[in-house]
Amino acid sequence: MNKRMKSGNYDPGLGARLEGVNNRIIDKEGRFNISRQGQEFSLRDVFQHLINISWPLFLVYILGAFFILNSIFAIIYVWVGIEGLQGASLGSFWHEFKQAFFFSIQTSATVGYGFMAPTNDSTNIISSIETILGLLSFSIATGLFYGRFSRPKSAIIYSDNALIAPFKEGYAWEFKIVNRRSDTLMDVEARTVLTFLEQTPEGNHTRKYLQLPLQISQVAFMPLTWTLVHEIGAESPLAGFSKEYLEQINAEVLIQIKAFDETYNQTIYSRYSYPAREWIWGAKFKPSFVNDPNGATIVSVDKISEYEPLTDTKSVLLR
C-alpha cells in the first residue's frame, strides 16, 4: 500500500467500521446500502416511504388502499343488511356485495348518483362515517401526489462503468454523467471519495477514505454530457496498483453531484458509486453528442455508457 493510502484520514460520515466486502456502499439508485433497526414507528416514516418509492409501487398502494377500504365498507353494508339501501336487491352474498361495493365508491367519492341511498339509521351512520373517511383519504392522496411531483429530484444519469483510460502520458480514472431532462443544470459541482478496506494488525478490517481530486470539479452549465477525470499521477491514491489488488481491498469511489436546477429553482443532489469491479481498464468513452446540419447539438442520452476498448491493461500497474 502506497503512502497516499496510508496517510488517508478523511471521513465522509460513513464510519471506519463500515464493512461488507462484497457490497457497494451506494447502490445504483443512489441510496446508501444501510438499513436501520430498532427505530420507533412514526406516521412521518409512512409519508417519507410513500414519497420516495417508485411510481408503479405508489400507484399499487393507492389503488390497493382504495379497493380495500371500499371492500371493508361493502362487507359492513351487507352485514347490517342490504335492505337498508334504497334501490338494492337481495340475493347471494356476491350479488349484495357488488351493489354495496359500488355504493361505497359513490359515497366515499361524494358522487351520489341517486339510484341507491341509505334508508335507516344503521346505513346512514355507516355512510356518514365513510364520507368523512373518503374526504380525508382523497385529501391525503392529493397531498402525496403533489409532494411527489413538487419535490426536487435529480435526473442525472451515470455511465454504467468507470474507465481506466489513457490520459496524457499515463492513465486517468473517468466516468460520465448527463442530465436526462432538457432543462439546464447550473453551478454543477462534483466530489469524489476513494474508500477501501485496510487490515489491522489484529486481523480486523477498517475502512479508509481519501479524497480523489478531479481535473475539473465544477462547471457553470451542464447542457451536454460531462466526463469527470481523475489523473493518476504520482500523487494519486490509485498510483501503483493493479485491477486485481484494487478489487481485493474492495476499493470503491463514492460520488456526490450538487447542482442548481432552474426548473425547481432549488439545489439538487445526486449520489452514485463505482466499485473497482465495475471499472473498465484500457478503454475510452465514445462521443455522446454530435452537431446536426443546422448547427444544433444533439445529445444521445442512451449512449452515455458506450466506450471503445483500447488495450488490455488488467495486468499493468498504474504508474
Side-chain angles (χ1 to χ4, degrees):
M1 185 169 294
N2 63 23
K3 293 181 179 180
R4 276 87 61 197
M5 284 191 168
K6 288 184 178 180
S7 61
N9 57 0
Y10 177 76
D11 187 353
L14 296 172
R17 303 297 298 181
L18 183 63
E19 299 190 18
V21 176
N22 296 323
N23 295 326
R24 60 197 300 165
I25 295 178
I26 300 178
D27 63 22
K28 290 182 176 294
E29 302 298 324
R31 297 185 297 259
F32 287 105
N33 192 20
I34 299 172
S35 61
R36 288 177 170 81
Q37 297 180 350
Q39 62 190 62
E40 296 182 359
F41 173 79
S42 172
L43 289 177
R44 291 182 179 271
D45 297 332
V46 177
F47 175 80
Q48 184 181 23
H49 175 70
L50 293 175
I51 287 292
N52 291 325
I53 59 177
S54 64
W55 272 106
L57 184 57
F58 175 75
L59 294 176
V60 168
Y61 280 174
I62 294 295
L63 293 176
F66 175 80
F67 282 106
I68 291 174
L69 182 62
N70 284 288
S71 296
I72 291 174
F73 274 99
I75 293 174
I76 294 175
Y77 285 122
V78 173
W79 177 66
V80 300
I82 197 72
E83 62 274 9
L85 296 177
Q86 175 185 321
S89 59
L90 299 176
S92 64
F93 172 81
W94 178 243
H95 175 73
E96 295 181 358
F97 175 82
K98 287 191 297 182
Q99 297 177 84
F101 179 78
F102 291 115
F103 172 74
S104 174
I105 294 177
Q106 298 167 21
T107 301
S108 63
T110 65
V111 176
Y113 291 118
F115 177 73
M116 298 179 66
T119 59
N120 57 32
D121 291 342
S122 298
T123 52
N124 271 298
I125 292 174
I126 297 171
S127 61
S128 298
I129 295 174
E130 184 176 12
T131 301
I132 296 174
L133 292 178
L135 291 173
L136 291 175
S137 299
F138 281 108
S139 298
I140 293 173
T142 302
L144 289 171
F145 271 100
Y146 175 77
R148 291 179 63 89
F149 275 111
S150 62
R151 183 173 65 106
K153 190 173 183 180
S154 166
I156 294 176
I157 299 176
Y158 296 78
S159 57
D160 293 337
N161 302 97
L163 304 184
I164 301 293
F167 184 79
K168 296 182 179 179
E169 299 300 325
Y171 294 97
W173 183 89
E174 304 177 353
F175 69 98
K176 188 187 287 188
I177 62 174
V178 67
N179 185 20
R180 179 173 53 83
R181 303 192 186 105
S182 58
D183 59 337
T184 301
L185 299 179
M186 298 179 291
D187 295 329
V188 187
E189 300 178 16
R191 177 181 296 180
T192 52
V193 177
L194 172 68
T195 176
F196 56 93
L197 291 179
E198 183 180 74
Q199 190 170 8
T200 64
E202 294 78 17
N204 300 320
H205 286 90
T206 59
R207 191 168 283 279
K208 298 291 184 178
Y209 305 93
L210 290 172
Q211 294 190 24
L212 204 65
L214 298 171
Q215 186 187 32
I216 299 176
S217 61
Q218 183 176 2
V219 293
F221 309 102
M222 200 182 80
L224 305 175
T225 61
W226 183 17
T227 301
L228 294 101
V229 177
H230 165 72
E231 183 178 358
I232 306 177
E235 299 300 320
S236 170
L238 296 177
F241 295 110
S242 66
K243 178 181 188 298
E244 291 75 16
Y245 182 74
L246 290 170
E247 292 182 1
Q248 178 184 342
I249 63 175
N250 199 32
E252 180 177 353
V253 177
L254 312 180
I255 302 161
Q256 176 179 286
I257 305 294
K258 176 183 176 182
F260 184 83
D261 192 311
E262 62 179 1
T263 299
Y264 291 105
N265 199 32
Q266 293 186 34
T267 301
I268 60 172
Y269 293 88
S270 176
R271 294 181 300 270
Y272 200 76
S273 78
Y274 290 102
R277 61 180 177 274
E278 295 182 3
W279 303 359
I280 304 298
W281 289 50
K284 68 176 182 178
F285 285 113
K286 293 183 178 179
S288 301
F289 55 88
V290 296
N291 293 328
D292 66 9
N294 297 323
T297 302
I298 301 175
V299 180
S300 301
V301 177
D302 58 335
K303 296 182 179 180
I304 185 176
S305 298
E306 294 185 357
Y307 61 87
E308 178 184 354
L310 298 177
T311 57
D312 184 7
T313 59
K314 291 184 179 180
S315 60
V316 177
L317 295 178
L318 302 179
R319 295 186 295 273

